[in-house]
């Protein structure tokens, strides 16, 4: 059995002679009280009464010796006392011992060992020592505090001990082997570095130029991971659109959620939910039957109305949610429809409506624009076109698009898992620029994507799944 004997101060008997144990006490860099001592003790049993004046220490060491005995018995039961079937009493791999000792931590207790040799040393012992870490084949034991490190995260092991990241054992494949050294002793040290959570969050934001603008308008600089809110339960919901009104009118609120499953030739059902949680459960509070079927996934909810493209037309209509009637309809001059200028995924997405901080928009293309995206600002009451912009972004070349603060953004792919927001067109300056903001298509079929300025999130429909994406804006 391996043992650890701590000598505090005084004379001990070695082969009939009196020898002195030399003790030193100091403070380490973290402010802990540290004891270290060295005694010439070639025979482990030569110091039977060294700790006679410290009963608590003797009891602690006795418990430790029993634990080490159980540890070695368990190792032998798992295939021998050493690694790879080593013979009992042979050299033990320090990486295996360290890994096993980490799992055998005692609750509030200690664990350490010292091999026989010309000298023995214990170094780095806090004033109230607890559990320890064994460095075999070098005659070293390191005892450390038994509680979790202050200010650091830790987890509890299977027997109640605390395993701190600062004391975790490295991967055996990468850890160096301890080879015998021509030194009387070695010292092992460990350090803990605390990293503020704010720093980690800053490092995860990709490509955030300038100062983040938490209120008001700015440029899109980051799109987060998608969060699933609900899932369609029939084939009619493979493609669809779900929405919240950023500027609701009574009796509706921002909690009201709306959904349309768009697979089919007569899409007329608009599902109304009191809140997003009700959407997740799949029980609508009301079902509106639209007077005219809508086409594709380009609809939006805004100021108490559903704005949509009626099927087989180049028109845009407004359905009043309170009166349950169509109150306005207007044709978009020259707009392609029913498969002339869709997004790359298809789905008759020729006319796509959008809402941002500045109002209501329609995204489409014309024969005159030769398939490039055309933007028009609409009056939400009359649907009259206020102004039009022609971009140089080919509509069939992008998977979807949305507007934030008067800037059009497009997504590179509807199915690639690691897509990007790849272009931006600024209506204020009339210029476009290339981007590379990561965008995840988790379910590999993005059929709808809209921005909600009140939620400051992207709402999307990804192969039966209704998801949101958090975004960050930044001033230039």
């Amino acid at each position: 059995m391996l043992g650890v004997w701590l000598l505090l101060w005084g004379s001990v008997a070695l082969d009939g002679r009196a020898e002195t144990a030399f003790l030193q006490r100091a403070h380490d860099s973290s402010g802990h009280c540290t004891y270290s001592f060295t005694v010439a003790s070639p025979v482990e049993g030569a110091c039977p009464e060294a700790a006679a004046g410290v009963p608590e220490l003797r009891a602690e060491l006795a418990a430790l010796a029993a634990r080490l005995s159980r540890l070695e018995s368990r190792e032998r039961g798992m295939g021998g006392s050493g690694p790879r079937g080593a013979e009992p009493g042979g050299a033990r791999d320090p990486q295996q011992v360290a890994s096993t000792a980490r799992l055998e931590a005692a609750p509030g207790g200690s664990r350490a060992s010292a091999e026989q040799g010309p000298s023995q040393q214990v170094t780095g012992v806090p004033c109230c020592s607890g559990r320890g870490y064994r460095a075999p084949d070098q005659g070293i034991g390191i005892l450390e505090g038994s509680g979790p490190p202050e200010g650091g995260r830790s987890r509890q092991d299977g027997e109640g001990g605390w395993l701190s990241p600062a004391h975790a054992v490295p991967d055996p494949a990468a850890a160096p082997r301890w080879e015998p050294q021509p030194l009387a002793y070695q010292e092992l040290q460990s350090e803990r570095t605390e990293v503020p959570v704010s720093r980690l969050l800053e490092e995860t934001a990709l490509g955030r130029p300038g100062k983040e603008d938490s209120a008001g308008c700015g440029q899109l600089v980051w799109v987060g991971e998608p969060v699933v809110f609900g899932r369609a339960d029939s084939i009619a919901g493979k493609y669809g659109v779900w929405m919240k009104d950023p500027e609701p009118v009574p009796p509706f609120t921002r909690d009201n959620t709306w959904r349309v499953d768009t697979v089919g030739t007569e899409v007329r059902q608009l599902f109304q939910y009191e809140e997003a949680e009700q959407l997740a459960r799949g029980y609508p509070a009301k079902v509106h039957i639209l007077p005219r079927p809508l086409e594709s996934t380009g609809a939006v909810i805004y100021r108490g109305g559903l704005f949509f493209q009626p099927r087989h037309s180049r028109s845009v209509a407004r359905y009043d949610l309170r009166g349950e009637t169509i109150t306005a309809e207007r044709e978009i001059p020259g707009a392609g429809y029913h498969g002339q200028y869709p997004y790359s995924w298809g789905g008759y997405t020729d006319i796509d409506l959008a809402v941002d901080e500045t109002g209501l928009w329609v995204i489409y293309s014309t024969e005159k624009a030769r398939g490039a995206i055309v933007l028009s600002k609409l009056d939400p009451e009359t649907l009259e076109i206020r102004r039009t912009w022609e971009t140089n972004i080919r509509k069939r070349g992008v998977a979807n698009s949305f507007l934030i603060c008067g800037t059009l953004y497009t997504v590179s792919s509807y199915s690639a898992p690691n897509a990007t927001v790849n272009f931006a067109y600024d209506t204020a300056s009339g210029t476009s620029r290339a981007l590379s903001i990561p965008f995840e298509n988790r379910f590999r079929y993005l059929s709808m994507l809209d921005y909600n300025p009140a939620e400051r999130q992207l709402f999307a429909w990804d192969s039966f799944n209704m998801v949101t994406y958090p975004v960050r804006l930044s001033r230039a």
Side-chain angles (χ1 to χ4, degrees):
M1 180 189 301
L2 301 177
V4 176
W5 303 97
L6 304 181
L7 308 178
L8 297 182
W9 184 260
S11 299
V12 296
L14 296 175
D15 297 331
R17 297 178 290 105
E19 298 290 339
T20 300
F22 298 94
L23 171 69
Q24 290 182 331
R25 183 175 62 183
H27 293 283
D28 61 11
S29 59
S30 62
H32 290 87
C33 177
T34 305
Y35 293 95
S36 63
F37 56 87
T38 304
V39 60
S41 179
V43 182
E44 185 179 39
C47 312
E49 301 298 327
V54 190
E56 296 84 1
L57 184 59
R58 293 188 63 195
E60 184 178 4
L61 292 176
L64 172 63
R67 181 164 297 281
L68 288 174
S69 177
R70 291 197 302 271
L71 172 62
E72 292 177 346
S73 298
R74 179 176 297 183
E75 285 186 351
R76 283 192 291 269
M78 294 173 64
S81 61
R84 302 180 182 87
E87 293 296 325
R92 300 170 62 194
D93 188 282
Q95 298 157 0
Q96 179 180 354
V97 175
S99 178
T100 310
R102 178 170 61 88
L103 299 175
E104 288 292 316
S110 306
R111 70 177 187 273
S113 65
E115 303 284 353
Q116 297 182 9
S119 64
Q120 295 174 326
Q121 170 158 345
V122 176
T123 182
V125 185
C127 295
C128 299
S129 61
R131 61 186 199 81
Y133 175 97
R134 176 173 177 267
D137 304 324
Q138 298 295 336
I140 304 170
I142 299 177
L143 295 153
E144 301 161 338
S146 60
E150 295 183 4
R153 298 182 62 184
S154 58
R155 64 181 177 84
Q156 203 167 10
D157 65 16
E159 298 187 14
W162 289 91
L163 303 179
S164 167
H167 303 131
V169 178
D171 181 21
R177 295 183 62 86
W178 290 330
E179 300 295 339
Q181 301 290 330
L183 301 175
Y185 63 88
Q186 292 180 337
E187 292 186 0
L188 297 181
Q189 296 179 348
S190 64
E191 296 181 359
R192 184 181 70 221
T193 302
E194 296 181 0
V195 179
V197 175
S198 59
R199 175 179 163 189
L200 295 177
L201 292 176
E202 289 177 0
E203 291 176 353
T204 59
L206 303 175
R208 281 191 279 175
K211 181 179 179 181
E212 183 179 336
D213 184 13
S214 59
C217 275
Q219 298 177 356
L220 178 68
V221 292
W222 177 83
V223 178
E225 295 183 355
V227 177
V228 178
F229 271 81
R231 179 175 172 83
D233 54 5
S234 70
I235 189 61
K238 179 175 176 59
Y239 318 133
V241 54
W242 74 293
M243 307 151 282
K244 286 186 178 183
D245 193 338
E247 297 183 22
V249 297
F252 306 110
T253 69
R254 288 183 180 176
D255 290 329
N256 289 124
T257 307
W258 310 82
R259 160 186 166 182
V260 180
D261 296 343
T262 60
V263 175
T265 58
E266 289 289 317
V267 179
R268 293 177 179 266
Q269 292 183 327
L270 171 65
F271 299 97
Q272 175 186 331
Y273 302 88
E274 297 302 321
E275 55 189 14
E277 288 73 14
Q278 194 178 53
L279 169 70
R281 293 192 296 268
Y283 299 108
K286 184 175 182 178
V287 180
H288 296 255
I289 304 299
L290 301 177
R292 297 182 60 184
L294 61 76
E295 184 152 287
S296 197
T297 59
V300 295
I301 297 283
Y302 184 56
R303 293 186 181 179
L306 170 71
F307 296 85
F308 68 100
Q309 173 198 0
R311 184 169 175 79
H312 286 291
S313 77
R314 57 169 54 94
S315 299
V316 172
R318 180 186 186 274
Y319 171 81
D320 184 73
L321 297 172
R322 291 179 297 182
E324 300 184 17
T325 60
I326 292 178
T327 59
E329 184 172 349
R330 187 174 295 271
E331 184 176 284
I332 307 299
Y337 66 97
H338 205 65
Q340 287 182 291
Y341 303 110
Y343 291 123
S344 61
W345 76 270
Y348 302 135
T349 50
D350 305 73
I351 295 177
D352 186 16
L353 290 141
V355 174
D356 72 350
E357 292 83 353
T358 67
L360 179 66
W361 300 80
V362 60
I363 305 164
Y364 58 102
S365 188
T366 64
E367 185 178 352
K368 179 182 176 182
R370 298 181 180 179
I373 290 178
V374 178
L375 283 173
S376 291
K377 191 75 173 292
L378 300 180
D379 183 298
E381 296 299 325
T382 66
L383 299 181
E384 180 183 355
I385 295 178
R386 293 176 174 174
R387 187 177 174 184
T388 298
W389 293 261
E390 186 176 311
T391 76
N392 59 354
I393 303 170
R394 182 175 173 79
K395 194 166 186 292
R396 287 181 178 270
V398 297
N400 223 306
S401 66
F402 56 93
L403 280 112
I404 299 179
C405 298
T407 297
L408 174 78
Y409 295 93
T410 64
V411 176
S412 63
S413 173
Y414 64 90
S415 59
N418 299 314
T420 61
V421 177
N422 59 345
F423 290 109
Y425 179 85
D426 186 357
T427 58
S429 63
T431 59
S432 61
R433 67 185 188 278
L435 299 175
S436 185
I437 300 173
F439 183 92
E440 178 184 351
N441 290 314
R442 178 164 296 177
F443 303 101
R444 310 295 191 269
Y445 213 103
L446 186 74
S447 59
M448 164 257 172
L449 185 64
D450 279 318
Y451 173 67
N452 187 303
E455 302 273 340
R456 187 151 284 189
Q457 290 182 325
L458 296 175
F459 283 47
W461 197 292
D462 189 358
S463 187
F464 295 98
N465 295 277
M466 289 152 272
V467 302
T468 62
Y469 295 81
V471 300
R472 290 195 181 102
L473 308 182
S474 172
R475 289 179 181 163

